[in-house]
Amino acid sequence: MYGLYGHREVPSMSKDAGSLSAALAARDRAVLWHPCTQMKDHEAGGPLPIRRGQGVWLEDFDGRRYLDAISSWWVNLFGHANPRINTALSAQMADLEHVMLAGFSHLSAIELAERLTTIAPPGLKRCFYADSGSAAVEVALKMSFHYWRNQGKTRKTRFITLENSYHGETLGALAVGGVELYRDSYGPLLMDTIRVPSPDCYEREPGEDPAAYTAHRFELMLEALERHHEEVCAVIIEPLVQCAGAMRMYEPNYLELLRAACTRFGVHLIADEIAVGFGRTGTMFACEQARITPDFLCLSKGLTGGYLPLSAVLTSEEIYQAFYAEYREQKAFLHSHSYTGNALGCRAALATLDIFASEPVLERNRALAAVMARDCERLRDHPNVAEIRQRGMIVAIELVQDKRTRKTWPWQERRGLRVARRALEHGVLLRPLGNVVYFMPPYVITEEEIALMVEAAWLGINTAAQD
Ligand SMILES: *Cc1c(COP(=O)(O)O)cnc(C)c1O
């Protein structure tokens, strides 16, 4: 579907004799096992060791520079080695690096929870920390299930999820994901979920209005809710963009309809904004575009500006109160990670929120998004481009073998990998999801850097389209 190694595909590097990067890569290959990688792909070289980062740039050990057009897996917001975040972290380190969060607390965890519950959609007044996006998803799933259990609704044990969704790769998160690439090998280990077709607008008929298509697709969700609501704890979705699912997009009206239906059927709504939160789609949170408040909001990735692993699950006071009871009632929520609410992570997140508070970030992003749209226009008529879609600071280019029929190349040909390799030669880090090339740059990118990024994609696509 999306190529053998999906959204985490690895371009290779040159093996120049005497190159420091090549020597380090050899040491790496002798001891390391990389995530989401067929290590045999690195027989010919790589992975690429990075010596330092600055703004949108990464530099290798031979002094070559690469524009990080995908924010290092979508985590970076304000550039590498950001001076404001660096300063905040140094200060935090001098005071306190970490303390366990059970029975203890610290200023950065408190302040961050105060700030997140202030900027989140109204009604999300409680903050639970974890240490990765997947862990946040696990927390939300368990909390939803446990809420219903505490209410005596023990029949509620299942989750509704969208096809083509991605929620992480621990077993619970993987089970609610819908991208076969990640699930297939582990199928026998995964809990059973109710999967509903996605509102993904790429699939609509030519000329069909996206919002009308989205509303039409919602009928399938409604059917699932009608049939299963008594056994369902929650619906989990990625608002507006299914990022790991090849950046497929849908319209905000789906979220509005879903919020109303979840309320009506007594089912929670879990919004996984791990990738789309913090300004990525044009608003601080994607849910704002539908003016909805989910029952659980999962945040990670951009939360710390791309510095440290940290995640948060925000929920309502009503849900919190369902766990608040005498100890002997055994209603407490049971979930903990050693690094829950790590002080350095919380401080990096506070520094990130400070940047949002003191600079016109969303306004600037609107201008940058317009530049990306303009520069990508030249790709629209390319014989191998079926669609260019955009939501804020995410632009995706859907490559096909045949523009008219939208026939795709066989995944075995790994055309996306060819794009990545050619772009890297041109000094730009791209990482196509199968045959979908996308940009998700840090918000500090300039107009000139956007031009370079698009030029690299153009070269890459032309190279990839050759036989
Ligand atoms: C990346 C991602 C996750 C998983 O986060 P990790 O920190 O990689 O575990 C979950 N949901 C979405 C939407 C993501 O993009």
Side-chain angles (χ1 to χ4, degrees):
M1 227 167 120
Y2 298 122
L4 194 51
Y5 289 99
H7 81 293
R8 295 175 169 182
E9 196 140 34
V10 186
S12 75
M13 50 171 283
S14 70
K15 258 206 316 191
D16 313 344
S19 136
L20 246 181
S21 291
L24 273 174
R27 279 171 60 188
D28 175 298
R29 289 194 300 277
V31 288
L32 264 159
W33 190 344
H34 287 263
C36 216
T37 300
Q38 171 48 266
M39 292 302 293
K40 194 167 190 296
D41 279 354
H42 284 306
E43 260 181 348
L48 179 52
I50 294 301
R51 181 174 190 191
R52 60 179 153 225
Q54 185 69 66
V56 297
W57 293 96
L58 295 168
E59 188 185 315
D60 73 12
F61 282 79
D62 300 322
R64 277 187 297 257
R65 302 201 320 150
Y66 310 93
L67 194 164
D68 186 356
I70 59 153
S71 300
S72 286
W73 271 354
W74 325 339
V75 299
N76 194 289
L77 300 188
F78 298 113
H80 296 276
N82 182 285
R84 291 182 72 171
I85 305 177
N86 284 0
T87 304
L89 272 177
S90 302
Q92 180 68 52
M93 226 167 331
D95 286 343
L96 174 72
E97 79 300 334
H98 182 72
V99 63
M100 62 187 280
L101 214 67
F104 294 83
S105 191
H106 57 84
L107 186 58
S108 295
I110 297 165
E111 273 185 21
L112 180 59
E114 287 170 351
R115 304 252 315 253
L116 288 174
T117 52
T118 305
I119 61 171
L124 297 173
K125 290 298 165 208
R126 287 283 165 181
C127 174
F128 188 97
Y129 292 118
D131 58 9
S132 69
S134 302
V137 168
E138 302 286 345
V139 166
L141 298 174
K142 282 173 70 179
M143 249 183 207
S144 172
F145 163 79
H146 201 158
Y147 168 90
W148 297 116
R149 184 172 180 268
N150 283 354
Q151 308 283 54
K153 301 233 161 114
T154 49
R155 277 188 63 201
K156 284 185 176 283
T157 57
R158 302 182 74 192
F159 296 93
I160 294 181
T161 172
L162 289 179
E163 277 172 11
N164 192 46
S165 59
Y166 179 91
H167 298 290
E169 293 178 50
T170 54
L171 292 175
L174 195 59
V176 293
V179 180
E180 291 308 329
L181 170 69
Y182 306 105
R183 292 173 51 96
D184 263 5
S185 312
Y186 308 101
L189 304 181
L190 304 179
M191 68 175 160
D192 181 37
T193 58
I194 298 155
R195 278 206 270 172
V196 172
S198 164
D200 167 11
C201 287
Y202 181 71
E203 302 292 347
R204 73 191 194 277
E205 293 302 319
E208 191 175 1
D209 173 60
Y213 178 77
T214 298
H216 175 59
R217 295 295 273 182
F218 183 74
E219 287 164 22
L220 298 164
M221 174 64 80
L222 201 56
E223 276 170 29
L225 279 167
E226 272 163 359
R227 176 142 15 116
H228 296 289
H229 64 96
E230 282 178 3
E231 46 169 338
V232 167
C233 304
V235 178
I236 180 166
I237 42 134
E238 296 159 273
L240 303 185
V241 189
Q242 296 188 310
C243 292
M247 301 293 163
R248 293 295 177 85
M249 301 178 183
Y250 62 91
E251 295 299 307
N253 60 334
Y254 195 87
L255 299 172
E256 266 172 80
L257 294 166
L258 182 59
R259 173 67 278 180
C262 283
T263 305
R264 187 173 131 220
F265 285 109
V267 165
H268 288 144
L269 175 58
I270 303 172
D272 175 354
E273 294 221 16
I274 289 164
V276 295
F278 300 103
R280 217 15 111 177
T281 66
T283 43
M284 192 61 171
F285 300 107
C287 282
E288 291 170 29
Q289 294 180 43
R291 294 171 303 278
I292 62 150
T293 299
D295 299 291
F296 300 93
L297 178 68
C298 299
L299 302 172
S300 188
K301 291 208 166 103
L303 173 60
T304 62
Y307 265 67
L308 285 155
L310 179 73
S311 59
V313 177
L314 303 188
T315 191
S316 66
E317 189 63 19
E318 199 255 316
I319 287 171
Y320 173 80
Q321 286 300 334
F323 294 81
Y324 196 89
E326 294 300 330
Y327 184 79
R328 62 174 179 279
E329 290 182 48
Q330 302 253 294
K331 284 188 169 176
F333 184 56
L334 295 168
H335 191 97
S336 53
H337 296 285
S338 309
Y339 283 100
T340 295
N342 173 261
L344 293 168
C346 288
R347 191 62 173 264
L350 282 169
T352 302
L353 292 183
D354 283 342
I355 298 175
F356 276 105
S358 61
E359 296 177 23
V361 177
L362 298 178
E363 231 174 281
R364 229 166 37 205
N365 280 1
R366 267 194 287 281
L368 291 170
V371 173
M372 289 206 284
R374 185 196 68 201
D375 285 6
C376 285
E377 268 310 306
R378 65 189 281 211
L379 283 157
R380 200 171 287 282
D381 293 328
H382 193 286
N384 299 103
V385 171
E387 181 180 79
I388 300 175
R389 51 182 176 267
Q390 178 172 19
R391 178 80 58 189
M393 291 295 283
I394 306 174
V395 177
I397 303 154
E398 187 93 23
L399 300 185
V400 288
Q401 186 168 9
D402 185 311
K403 196 179 183 86
R404 196 180 52 80
T405 62
R406 291 190 162 186
K407 178 171 179 275
T408 56
W409 283 297
W411 61 266
Q412 294 88 339
E413 293 179 9
R414 305 180 81 179
R415 302 270 174 165
L417 186 57
R418 296 195 211 167
V419 178
R421 289 191 171 138
R422 181 69 188 86
L424 201 63
E425 283 168 18
H426 199 67
V428 176
L429 192 175
L430 292 176
R431 215 178 177 89
L433 295 147
N435 294 329
V436 174
V437 177
Y438 70 92
F439 307 117
M440 213 201 261
Y443 304 163
V444 293
I445 195 166
T446 64
E447 214 172 317
E448 294 71 39
E449 288 161 346
I450 289 173
L452 173 70
M453 184 173 84
V454 175
E455 173 68 14
W458 172 261
L459 295 172
I461 290 168
N462 286 328
T463 306
Q466 289 160 15
D467 289 320

